[in-house]
Amino acid sequence: MDQKIIIKICVGTYCHVMGGYKLRELRQQLPEALQDKVKVEASVCLGCSTLKEKPQPPYAEINGKLMSDASLEKIIEELQKIV
């Protein structure tokens, strides 16, 4: 895999108060096998609060695919499926 997997973590106020602050630890929690395959970015808002169907915050985006109710465990699980 030459291209890195892009993960955007919402750091907006809504996601932060709903548990998104825990997602900032993602880089440190990644298994060693994933460290070089992932690029983690912060995003002020992923636009999810405007969706008609309200998914549960906090939000993350993995290669453009939205993940609601994101947790470190769910993100790492999804990354392992991709790799």
Side-chain angles (χ1 to χ4, degrees):
M1 172 181 283
D2 293 359
Q3 271 191 316
K4 291 191 178 222
I5 299 167
I6 306 296
I7 303 171
K8 293 182 182 179
I9 303 295
C10 182
V11 294
T13 304
Y14 184 47
C15 285
H16 179 80
V17 298
M18 297 300 287
Y21 64 91
K22 297 174 187 173
L23 301 179
R24 294 186 301 176
E25 300 172 14
L26 178 62
R27 171 64 61 200
Q28 294 81 15
Q29 298 294 323
L30 285 172
E32 193 172 324
L34 295 174
Q35 291 279 335
D36 294 336
K37 296 176 170 72
V38 172
K39 180 178 179 184
V40 180
E41 301 175 349
S43 178
V44 175
C45 184
L46 296 173
C48 304
S49 59
T50 61
L51 295 174
K52 287 183 182 180
E53 292 181 27
K54 297 284 187 195
Q56 182 67 30
Y59 306 111
E61 189 179 274
I62 302 174
N63 281 347
K65 180 182 172 190
L66 178 66
M67 174 185 285
S68 66
D69 195 24
S71 67
L72 295 172
E73 296 79 17
K74 281 178 68 175
I75 293 171
I76 291 170
E77 183 179 307
E78 187 65 26
L79 290 172
Q80 290 171 331
K81 289 179 190 175
I82 294 170
V83 177

